[in-house]
Amino acid sequence: MLEGLHRQLEETKKERDGYIAFEREVKKKLDKEGKDKEGGGGQEEKEAMKRIEKLKAEEIEATKQLREAEKEYEALQEELAELEREEKALEEEEAEFWTQYSTLSTTTAKLSDQLTSLEHAHAFNSLELAKLSRTNVYNDAFCIGHEGGYGTINGLRLGKGPNVEWSEINAAWGMTVLLLSTIARKVGFVFESWRLVPMGSFSRIEKLGSDKASYE
């Protein structure tokens, strides 16, 4: 649009300049002859003047339109620049969003892996706890049974016989004292008149009070 208005203004100026040059030639001619008998020349001059005035008015109007068009163009340029700034800001916001999204996705994936690992560890620990809950530590530490008419603890026979040595009996009674002492401590039981002294094959039971005695 601006290019067309500029072209129209230039054409109007050229046409105006042509009529002005023509007017000058007519005036020269009239001054040289020094008379007005050639009415045609005067009529041509009047018509040229009218045309020049018209061209001047057209030039003023074209210039006015050009100025208005330039103002509109500047406003459009400013609006376009503002839109470009907004577009750039939106692009930066979008880039920041995708950066944060990528970081969040990475963090979420790590947390998901950690959660999965914790869930597996929890499941494993739950199974182990269930196994331990079903396990009686006393049964493992003090296996009580019998063998050929003899009571046994951890395979050691309790009772004198032809094939049972005193060392085995002492060891068995030592395990028995240890078991009894362990159970008493576990349940918080305190013997009032006796004290258990578990010392393996040399374990003993001591009587408390004035009438002290010791049984090994």
Side-chain angles (χ1 to χ4, degrees):
M1 180 179 179
L2 284 176
E3 185 178 352
L5 290 173
H6 275 293
R7 187 166 53 250
Q8 180 181 350
L9 180 60
E10 291 299 324
E11 291 176 356
T12 302
K13 286 181 177 180
K14 288 180 181 179
E15 189 174 354
R16 180 203 63 185
D17 292 341
Y19 276 99
I20 290 174
F22 174 73
E23 179 187 19
R24 290 173 181 171
E25 290 297 325
V26 171
K27 284 184 177 181
K28 278 183 183 180
K29 186 177 180 181
L30 291 176
D31 292 341
K32 186 177 180 181
E33 291 178 356
K35 55 184 177 179
D36 297 329
K37 62 180 180 179
E38 295 184 5
Q43 184 66 26
E44 289 179 357
E45 182 181 0
K46 290 178 180 180
E47 291 179 356
M49 290 298 294
K50 289 180 180 180
R51 182 59 181 166
I52 289 172
E53 293 299 325
K54 182 179 179 182
L55 289 173
K56 287 181 178 180
E58 291 178 355
E59 179 185 2
I60 292 173
E61 181 63 23
T63 302
K64 180 181 178 181
Q65 293 180 3
L66 179 61
R67 296 290 179 267
E68 292 177 352
E70 287 176 345
K71 288 181 181 179
E72 292 180 0
Y73 177 75
E74 291 176 358
L76 288 174
Q77 286 295 104
E78 180 61 28
E79 185 176 353
L80 179 61
E82 180 64 23
L83 290 175
E84 290 177 348
R85 286 191 292 270
E86 292 179 359
E87 181 182 7
K88 184 178 179 181
L90 288 174
E91 290 176 351
E92 292 176 352
E93 289 180 3
E94 182 180 6
E96 179 65 19
F97 167 78
W98 286 115
T99 300
Q100 293 180 358
Y101 176 79
S102 178
T103 302
L104 180 61
S105 297
T106 302
T107 302
T108 302
K110 290 181 179 179
L111 291 175
S112 180
D113 292 340
Q114 292 178 3
L115 178 60
T116 301
S117 178
L118 289 173
E119 287 176 345
H120 290 165
H122 176 69
F124 174 78
N125 291 333
S126 296
L127 291 175
E128 289 298 309
L129 178 60
K131 289 180 181 178
L132 292 174
S133 297
R134 292 191 299 268
T135 301
N136 189 332
V137 66
Y138 297 107
N139 287 338
D140 293 337
F142 305 99
C143 182
I144 297 174
H146 62 87
E147 179 182 340
Y150 296 98
T152 62
I153 180 169
N154 289 346
L156 300 172
R157 291 171 289 186
L158 285 163
K160 186 69 177 74
N163 298 322
V164 182
E165 300 295 333
W166 278 108
S167 58
E168 182 179 353
I169 296 172
N170 289 335
W173 280 113
M175 293 299 298
T176 303
V177 172
L178 178 60
L179 172 59
L180 186 58
S181 176
T182 301
I183 294 175
R185 187 169 58 252
K186 177 67 175 177
V187 300
F189 181 79
V190 178
F191 294 96
E192 295 180 357
S193 303
W194 301 90
R195 185 166 71 94
L196 303 177
V197 183
M199 296 179 60
S201 297
F202 302 97
S203 301
R204 64 182 183 272
I205 301 175
E206 296 178 349
K207 183 174 177 58
L208 303 177
S210 58
D211 185 16
K212 292 184 178 181
S214 177
Y215 299 93
E216 297 181 357

